[in-house]
Amino acid sequence: MNLSDPIIYLSLMVFLPALGALVLAFFPRGKEEAARYFALGVTILTFMLSLGLFFDARGVQFKSSVANMQDMFSAPWIPSFGIQYLMGLDGISFPLVVLTTFISILAFAASWSITKHVKAFCILFLLLETGMIGVFMALDFFLFYVLWEVMLLPMYFLIGVWGGPRKEYAAIKFFLYTLVGSVLMLIAILMLYFNSDLTLLNPQQLASAGVVKVDVSGPRATPEGAFAAWKESEDALAKRFKEITAETDPAKRRQLHTFNILALQHIGQHEESPFLREAWLGKSIQWWAFVLLFIGFAIKVPSVPLHTWLPDAHVEAPTPISMILAGILLKMGGYGIIRICYPICPAAGYDLAYIVCSIGVVSMVWGAFAALAQNDFKRMVAYSSVSHMGYVVLGLGVWSLGMWSATAPGSFSYNADYWKMGVNGAMFQMIAHGISSAGMFFCVGVLYDRVHHRNLNEFGGIMARMPVYSGFAIVIFFAGLGLPGLCGFIGEVFVVLSVWKYSQLLAVISAAVVILTAAYILWAIQRVYLGAEYRGPHGEALTPMLPREFAIAVPLTVFAIVFGVYPQAVLNYMQPSVDQQVQQLADWTERFDETQETLRKSLGKEEPQVASAAP
């Protein structure tokens, strides 16, 4: 096995947890402790593989200055339908992969209080980790969908078997919501697949999509040379491409369909995109695809009004699964919007930008007010996630303003700087929320494991009884609040600043949400940690942190501070890819608006002639 080959290294990183789950299946009964340590070792090794990408990991390395997809590989999977085993990393996916492997270690370390069906829990947890990592790396839509579904069953059982008193209700609700989103996503995938045409793309676009492989030297060193060699090769896709493009009769010309996400992005932004054809009720194919995909991803985010599964799932899920759910799974919704919705369906995104931004703002306000009304500590943190993820939707939805130049009538100037700020802020918010939300659910779990309740009105005086734990908890909750100097501040500020040029009303509302966030966070800290005395049951169990709990709290607190003080540690890796994608969409918008303006002018010239001709 040669780890210098991306297909080996990245595949190992994705499927090592699944291999670990397979090995665990053969562990003898009664070896629960061995199963725990083995599963923990697998999560640590997976994290080390992701860390290896920061360095020259046997020739596989993620370079922070490169905007394009890196370490991309492809292999035929189902050639008859053009389905490939296609994966890669860029600045949008790489930070989320590292976050996934990191939170997985801490979440599993927090699972030591689970004593029922330990081996089954470990197996399902590792399968869930494979699905999560794979979603962030998959570049084939079919593969993306399969890995997206892989997460569904493990999470269903992890909530339904190891959850609280209403675990069955919460698990079924989670399953049904997610399944509805998956069905809508599948419909959109099929719409895009059967209307896609790979032959529309030029050699440069085919190379950037991974369809054509460009070598370092030789005749394949340029996209054109690689395309010419690929067309004459024995590759099944190349043969179909050559056969279709050789057809001279337009009536007999077929389309070469593809599931390649990067190719679909180029097709969606093509001047003659087949996705712009009218589908239903006067709306285009990509408009309906965007709506279906956005609903599917908004359920996962979750956004109001599709959020009601989240509080129930969080409240009933065990602590490690709540950490995974808030720290990783919610980010998949935001990732899907930025990776798939906008690049593939830009016209729909442009048309629905204000609606998307409004959904983000409504989620922020609704989630904050709901959190303020809760007496259950865990439910309050769950609603805070709805509010904080609203910033992500808002930042992704902001479409910067284009202005017609007053000095040169008819010329169009498009400024994408604010949208870049918004998307970078949304991406940073996903990473920051992954740290702070996982930390907050961990802090709730530490108390619940001791006193077996979450009633905010019965807490108090925890600082005096557990001073070290309380110190960690207050830092993490302040990070969730968005205090300057902690990780939650940067993303929220970027998003609010980016919105101002788009809609001052939405900017003012989103900025005002900070007051509501401070209200419920500070009130919770006062009631739990700073109250006069503890008023609930099992007060004798409020003992200092265990070494295992201390080992979980330290890295969460450290990164909450480091990312707040030095945000470039994250932005250096994500910003080149984010800026490139936003600039491509800005260029598309400029061309689109120029076309629309030319059409309006031509219609304006014709209308007076028609009117004057009338008797």
Side-chain angles (χ1 to χ4, degrees):
M1 184 171 65
N2 186 5
L3 289 178
S4 62
D5 190 345
I7 192 171
I8 301 298
Y9 193 95
L10 298 185
S11 297
L12 182 63
M13 190 164 65
V14 173
F15 293 106
L16 180 61
L19 291 174
L22 181 62
V23 173
L24 272 175
F26 294 97
F27 268 48
R29 183 176 298 177
K31 297 291 183 179
E32 284 82 5
E33 205 64 16
R36 289 185 199 273
Y37 281 106
F38 178 81
L40 180 61
V42 172
T43 62
I44 293 173
L45 185 55
T46 306
F47 177 59
M48 291 174 64
L49 286 171
S50 69
L51 288 184
L53 293 169
F54 285 99
F55 313 101
D56 189 0
R58 294 181 175 269
V60 179
Q61 181 183 9
F62 186 86
K63 299 176 178 64
S64 60
S65 58
V66 178
N68 294 328
M69 199 65 64
Q70 301 181 47
D71 299 319
M72 186 166 54
F73 65 83
S74 65
W77 186 18
I78 310 176
S80 57
F81 293 99
I83 299 173
Q84 293 182 306
Y85 176 52
L86 176 64
M87 288 187 174
L89 290 168
D90 66 352
I92 297 172
S93 56
F94 175 65
L96 292 169
V97 169
V98 177
L99 177 70
T100 301
T101 58
F102 172 67
I103 296 297
S104 293
I105 296 176
L106 303 183
F108 192 84
S111 69
W112 245 252
S113 59
I114 291 176
T115 56
K116 181 176 68 173
H117 307 308
V118 173
K119 188 173 82 169
F121 177 87
C122 296
I123 290 173
L124 290 171
F125 188 95
L126 293 177
L127 290 175
L128 179 64
E129 185 177 8
T130 282
M132 293 187 298
I133 299 173
V135 162
F136 291 129
M137 293 172 57
L139 297 176
D140 182 277
F141 225 151
F142 188 86
L143 177 62
F144 176 91
Y145 185 78
V146 168
L147 291 168
W148 184 278
E149 292 300 293
V150 163
M151 299 180 300
L152 181 58
L153 282 179
M155 183 58 74
Y156 169 77
F157 286 114
L158 287 167
I159 296 173
V161 176
W162 290 273
R166 300 175 71 241
K167 56 191 178 183
E168 291 88 355
Y169 169 78
I172 292 173
K173 194 172 184 179
F174 162 80
F175 187 93
L176 291 177
Y177 266 83
T178 307
L179 188 62
V180 168
S182 298
V183 170
L184 297 179
M185 190 190 307
L186 180 60
I187 295 171
I189 291 172
L190 295 176
M191 287 174 61
L192 294 172
Y193 172 76
F194 284 111
N195 288 279
S196 63
D197 187 0
L198 206 58
T199 63
L200 290 173
L201 306 186
N202 59 43
Q204 180 67 48
Q205 292 169 331
L206 291 170
S208 66
V211 177
V212 173
K213 185 178 179 181
V214 179
D215 295 333
V216 178
S217 60
R220 290 175 173 262
T222 63
E224 291 73 16
F227 172 72
W230 172 76
K231 240 181 129 176
E232 301 303 323
S233 68
E234 294 300 315
D235 183 81
L237 185 62
K239 289 182 177 179
R240 292 170 60 198
F241 188 99
K242 185 177 180 180
E243 178 185 341
I244 291 174
T245 53
E247 179 60 59
T248 57
D249 186 355
K252 297 181 180 179
R253 182 78 176 265
R254 293 173 295 160
Q255 292 177 309
L256 182 54
H257 304 312
T258 183
F259 284 105
N260 186 312
I261 292 175
L262 302 180
L264 290 171
Q265 292 177 2
H266 289 302
I267 296 170
Q269 298 172 44
H270 196 276
E271 293 179 359
E272 300 178 3
S273 174
F275 302 156
L276 291 173
R277 297 169 188 158
E278 184 176 330
W280 190 46
L281 298 179
K283 299 297 183 181
S284 66
I285 293 167
Q286 67 166 264
W287 194 93
W288 287 108
F290 182 95
V291 170
L292 295 174
L293 289 168
F294 183 81
I295 293 173
F297 294 133
I299 289 173
K300 188 70 78 175
V301 168
S303 295
V304 174
L306 306 171
H307 67 292
T308 58
W309 65 269
L310 181 68
D312 293 309
H314 269 311
V315 167
E316 301 305 324
T319 296
I321 303 309
S322 288
M323 293 173 67
I324 288 291
L325 192 58
I328 308 300
L329 258 67
L330 305 191
K331 313 303 173 290
M332 292 179 178
Y335 174 79
I337 295 171
I338 187 174
R339 171 70 77 206
I340 294 171
C341 286
Y342 282 103
I344 297 179
C345 308
Y350 188 43
D351 187 35
L352 298 170
Y354 200 88
I355 293 177
V356 173
C357 290
S358 299
I359 290 172
V361 172
V362 169
S363 298
M364 291 158 57
V365 175
W366 186 282
F369 273 116
L372 198 58
Q374 301 306 313
N375 288 319
D376 185 299
F377 199 5
K378 201 173 186 183
R379 189 174 285 270
M380 185 213 77
V381 176
Y383 275 111
S384 77
S385 290
V386 176
S387 181
H388 285 121
M389 289 302 290
Y391 283 98
V392 175
V393 176
L394 177 60
L396 297 179
V398 171
W399 210 292
S400 298
L401 296 177
M403 296 176 291
W404 291 93
S405 173
T407 57
S411 65
F412 187 78
S413 174
Y414 193 90
N415 182 6
D417 291 344
Y418 291 102
W419 195 14
K420 290 177 183 177
M421 184 186 296
V423 179
N424 277 294
M427 279 293 302
F428 193 96
Q429 176 72 354
M430 286 199 282
I431 302 299
H433 183 260
I435 298 293
S436 62
S437 65
M440 287 191 286
F441 279 110
F442 168 71
C443 291
V444 174
V446 168
L447 288 179
Y448 184 78
D449 287 343
R450 285 162 169 76
V451 298
H452 305 294
H453 80 90
R454 296 182 297 264
N455 190 340
L456 286 168
N457 296 321
E458 293 183 354
F459 281 113
I462 302 298
M463 175 71 81
R465 296 182 180 228
M466 304 174 66
V468 176
Y469 157 76
S470 298
F472 284 128
I474 289 173
V475 172
I476 290 171
F477 273 88
F478 275 140
L481 186 153
L483 189 73
L486 297 174
C487 62
F489 175 73
I490 305 298
E492 292 180 5
V493 168
F494 278 10
V495 169
V496 172
L497 290 175
S498 71
V499 177
W500 182 261
K501 284 291 185 179
Y502 183 76
S503 170
Q504 293 183 7
L505 174 63
L506 295 181
V508 170
I509 296 173
S510 60
V513 171
V514 175
I515 301 173
L516 298 174
T517 305
Y520 67 75
I521 292 289
L522 292 175
W523 194 23
I525 290 175
Q526 173 64 34
R527 285 188 285 177
V528 176
Y529 301 104
L530 303 178
E533 60 181 8
Y534 178 74
R535 297 180 295 276
H538 308 296
E540 71 284 353
L542 292 170
T543 55
M545 294 183 79
L546 301 172
R548 174 180 57 82
E549 295 170 336
F550 185 84
I552 298 170
V554 167
L556 289 170
T557 306
V558 168
F559 281 111
I561 297 171
V562 169
F563 290 162
V565 174
Y566 185 60
Q568 286 300 117
V570 178
L571 291 173
N572 283 340
Y573 288 93
M574 68 172 59
Q575 192 167 356
S577 296
V578 169
D579 287 355
Q580 176 178 268
Q581 175 166 302
V582 172
Q583 190 59 54
Q584 288 173 349
L585 290 173
D587 294 341
W588 174 89
T589 309
E590 188 169 351
R591 296 193 305 269
F592 180 79
D593 275 346
E594 286 178 344
T595 302
Q596 295 299 310
E597 182 64 17
T598 302
L599 181 60
R600 282 194 294 269
K601 286 182 177 179
S602 65
L603 292 175
K605 290 178 181 178
E606 292 173 1
E607 287 173 357
Q609 296 175 0
V610 174
S612 62

